Amino acid sequence: GLDEAMRETRIGGLTVFAPNNAAINSLLGGAPIRQVAPDELERLLLYHVVPELLDANQLTAGSQAQTLHGGFLAFGETNDTIT
């Protein structure tokens, strides 16, 4: 589960990208978080954790980072801010 994945990768560090409330609501289709199945919530959380320490200077527009979920986060730039 989530706790196991976090324990296994803690040695090398983790970077957590915390989505804002609007993003979470969009991903959950507006469902209250307490009504989301635990495995679905775990999948959502693992998608926002990268199993390495990333410094903001390492993130550039067009770069990607693989998450504990197995997918990739893609970074862009808006108004001189990495998104």
Side-chain angles (χ1 to χ4, degrees):
L2 179 60
D3 57 339
E4 182 179 318
M6 301 290 273
R7 250 192 320 273
E8 289 176 2
T9 59
R10 189 173 55 196
I11 293 172
L14 299 168
T15 302
V16 178
F17 292 91
N20 62 26
N21 288 344
I24 289 176
N25 288 336
S26 174
L27 291 169
L28 298 178
I33 200 162
R34 66 184 169 279
Q35 293 180 357
V36 176
D39 60 328
E40 182 66 15
L41 185 57
E42 181 175 301
R43 184 190 65 77
L44 173 70
L45 293 173
L46 288 175
Y47 186 79
H48 291 86
V49 179
V50 175
E52 62 182 295
L53 289 176
L54 295 177
D55 184 90
N57 295 327
Q58 293 175 272
L59 305 178
T60 59
S63 64
Q64 294 184 342
Q66 189 167 13
T67 69
L68 289 177
H69 175 266
F72 287 86
L73 295 176
F75 301 99
E77 184 176 345
T78 303
N79 298 324
D80 295 325
T81 301
I82 297 297
T83 57

